[in-house]
Amino acid sequence: MEKRTLEQTKASLTGVGFKHVIPVLSELINAAEEQKLSYREFLNLLVENELTARNEKHRRRNLSGAHFPPNPRTLDEFDTRELESGITSTQLYQLKDLNWIDAHVNILFLGPPGVGKSMLAIGLGLEAVNAGYSVCFERMASLVDIIDTARVSRASNFRLKRIRKADLIIIDEIGFTPIKKDQANSFFNLVSEMYEKTSIIFTTNKEIGQWAEVMGDPVLTTALLDRILHHSKCFSLRGESYRIKHPQEELQKP
């Protein structure tokens, strides 16, 4: 058999879709020779490196597409002891297994500003991205604007399509700003479309009974909550604002 050059081998691997392993191919060949790997062992090594590189590229793409706020913090940084009540370390550990995403269960974090609702939501989003799920994060005000402008804005239309395809949607800060009736209808339609197909995490400073004030329509709000709460886990967080308790840490943030 004619001896192939390294460049010819790279070209062949690229041709069959093994393009991610190309940058480290020489190193893998050297390692295989030094360790005297069998053909089967070297093939397994090649495949494992290709899959690892593909998964990492997929993870980075999902992380970018999530649109998390700058410098998102992980769940490991959240200390449940900072709260008076609302969620335990055991409950947080159970949420990290992400089985609720496959079951299309919704998560609601309720409570006053500063108790960690958004941090928990984003932390779970990061866990989901690292596990291979597609995630979209939007604040409520941004989401209704995206829905409003999707027909006339290419960027909004693209974002809305991505949201509709996501495995997990995080809707942050429901209740900070009231929305118009037509926006409430559009939001209801989106949630209805996602019903039992996608998991949604909601963070809100409003109790469930106060959502009608935000939506401006009690009947629509009842129908909306019926879909959200049908398969859901609710956590009502109580405690002093972390930013007030630790002002120096907030000042030191970049």
Side-chain angles (χ1 to χ4, degrees):
M1 182 180 295
E2 181 182 351
K3 190 173 182 179
R4 297 172 61 85
T5 67
L6 181 60
E7 293 306 313
Q8 288 174 323
T9 301
K10 288 181 178 180
S12 296
L13 286 171
T14 301
V16 296
F18 270 55
K19 58 183 179 181
H20 296 89
V21 78
I22 299 302
V24 295
L25 182 59
S26 297
E27 296 160 11
L28 294 179
I29 292 173
N30 291 336
E33 290 175 344
E34 290 174 5
Q35 299 172 32
K36 295 182 171 55
L37 299 183
S38 66
Y39 294 129
R40 179 178 295 177
E41 289 171 330
F42 176 66
L43 180 60
N44 287 336
L45 181 65
L46 198 69
V47 172
E48 286 172 6
N49 274 267
E50 175 68 21
L51 292 178
T52 298
R54 287 184 188 182
N55 290 338
E56 177 57 21
K57 182 178 180 181
H58 180 71
R59 188 195 71 83
R60 290 197 303 267
R61 185 167 59 244
N62 279 346
L63 183 60
S64 175
H67 287 189
F68 291 127
N71 305 312
R73 298 169 67 182
T74 67
L75 284 183
D76 292 336
E77 299 176 69
F78 190 90
D79 187 353
T80 56
R81 293 172 297 182
E82 295 280 353
L83 296 171
E84 293 174 7
S85 62
I87 190 168
T88 66
S89 57
T90 299
Q91 289 173 319
L92 190 56
Y93 179 79
Q94 290 171 342
L95 288 176
K96 288 176 69 173
D97 68 17
L98 304 178
N99 289 335
W100 49 273
I101 296 181
D102 296 323
H104 310 309
V105 170
N106 299 321
I107 307 291
L108 287 86
F109 293 118
L110 303 88
V115 293
K117 304 183 300 296
S118 296
M119 182 177 174
L120 284 169
I122 292 168
L124 287 171
L126 288 171
E127 293 281 337
V129 166
N130 290 336
Y133 293 99
S134 58
V135 179
C136 284
F137 171 94
E138 293 293 344
R139 292 187 172 90
M140 183 63 171
S142 297
L143 179 59
V144 294
D145 182 63
I146 288 169
I147 297 172
D148 275 349
T149 59
R151 291 185 178 179
V152 296
S153 167
R154 184 175 180 181
S156 294
N157 183 53
F158 178 82
R159 183 61 180 169
L160 188 58
K161 286 181 178 179
R162 188 178 184 95
I163 289 170
R164 286 185 168 127
K165 293 179 181 179
D167 300 310
L168 172 64
I169 303 168
I170 301 172
I171 304 175
D172 194 34
E173 297 184 348
I174 293 179
F176 279 79
T177 306
I179 62 176
K180 300 175 183 177
K181 186 173 181 179
D182 60 331
Q183 292 174 325
N185 283 323
S186 297
F187 178 66
F188 170 77
N189 290 335
L190 179 64
V191 172
S192 295
E193 185 181 338
M194 301 295 102
Y195 178 57
E196 295 190 323
K197 297 178 183 177
T198 304
S199 288
I200 307 176
I201 298 178
F202 301 88
T203 77
T204 177
N205 64 341
K206 299 289 187 183
E207 296 294 334
I208 294 297
Q210 299 174 312
W211 278 39
E213 299 173 14
V214 180
M215 301 297 165
D217 185 333
V219 175
L220 181 143
T221 303
T222 299
L224 174 68
L225 290 172
D226 180 65
R227 286 158 176 76
I228 292 174
L229 298 176
H230 184 206
H231 305 293
S232 68
K233 297 177 184 289
C234 299
F235 301 91
S236 185
L237 310 183
R238 292 291 177 265
E240 186 180 353
S241 168
Y242 187 90
R243 289 184 286 273
I244 294 175
K245 290 170 66 176
H246 304 278
Q248 292 304 317
E249 291 186 21
E250 295 299 311
L251 289 173
Q252 291 171 7
K253 284 185 178 180

